[in-house]
């Protein structure tokens, strides 16, 4: 399984970026795809997730209303559209995949390499 994250960069506060996560190596129809981020000196935190089968989405409170997660079946790619970016959004962003098990918290077993997002004030 490979998850290839891309799309990071440097942007001014209030700007936008779109991250992509190209997935390959298996069928992800029973998986949930997530975005996480880790800022320097901080623990990795959950950002957003989407269930591949029904496109149900989930967001952390800190990004709700600003970020949008989506997926493209044909391209086997998950996106994270980030608008109204703030300096506190600066982090390395990782995409991940975890099997959906009803009644259980998703355990993300597969991780991409990360892409740097830097928001200047």
């Amino acid at each position: 399984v490979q998850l290839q994250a891309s799309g990071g960069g440097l942007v001014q506060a209030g700007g936008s970026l779109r991250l992509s996560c190209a997935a390959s190596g298996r069928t992800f129809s029973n998986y949930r795809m997530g975005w996480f981020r880790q800022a320097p000196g901080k623990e990795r935190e959950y950002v957003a997730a989407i269930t591949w089968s029904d496109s149900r989405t989930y967001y952390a409170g800190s990004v709700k209303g600003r970020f949008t997660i989506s997926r493209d079946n044909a391209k086997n790619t998950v996106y994270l559209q980030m608008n109204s970016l703030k300096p506190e959004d600066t982090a390395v962003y990782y995409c991940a995949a975890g099997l959906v098990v009803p009644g259980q918290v998703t355990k993300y077993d597969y991780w991409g390499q990360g892409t740097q997002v830097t928001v200047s004030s």
Side-chain angles (χ1 to χ4, degrees):
V1 172
Q2 266 202 320
L3 301 176
Q4 184 74 32
S6 62
L10 173 63
V11 64
Q12 286 190 330
S16 299
L17 280 175
R18 188 178 80 157
L19 306 184
S20 300
C21 177
S24 62
R26 68 166 303 125
T27 301
F28 289 93
S29 56
N30 295 325
Y31 277 71
R32 183 165 290 134
M33 309 297 290
W35 285 98
F36 294 78
R37 65 187 182 187
Q38 188 166 19
K42 295 189 176 181
E43 292 191 357
R44 184 170 61 199
E45 65 172 352
Y46 161 83
V47 175
I50 185 168
T51 304
W52 200 278
S53 60
D54 61 9
S55 292
R56 184 171 292 189
T57 58
Y58 310 84
Y59 296 94
S62 58
V63 306
K64 201 167 188 177
R66 300 188 298 123
F67 291 10
T68 302
I69 189 170
S70 62
R71 61 124 172 86
D72 184 327
N73 266 353
K75 297 182 178 179
N76 236 29
T77 299
V78 174
Y79 302 99
L80 185 68
Q81 177 67 43
M82 306 186 295
N83 298 330
S84 302
L85 282 161
K86 305 175 182 180
E88 51 263 44
D89 294 317
T90 295
V92 177
Y93 283 70
Y94 299 90
C95 61
L99 185 66
V100 175
V101 179
Q104 295 187 20
V105 174
T106 299
K107 181 175 177 291
Y108 290 89
D109 293 317
Y110 304 107
W111 292 83
Q113 85 287 5
T115 185
Q116 176 72 46
V117 171
T118 304
V119 184
S120 63
S121 56

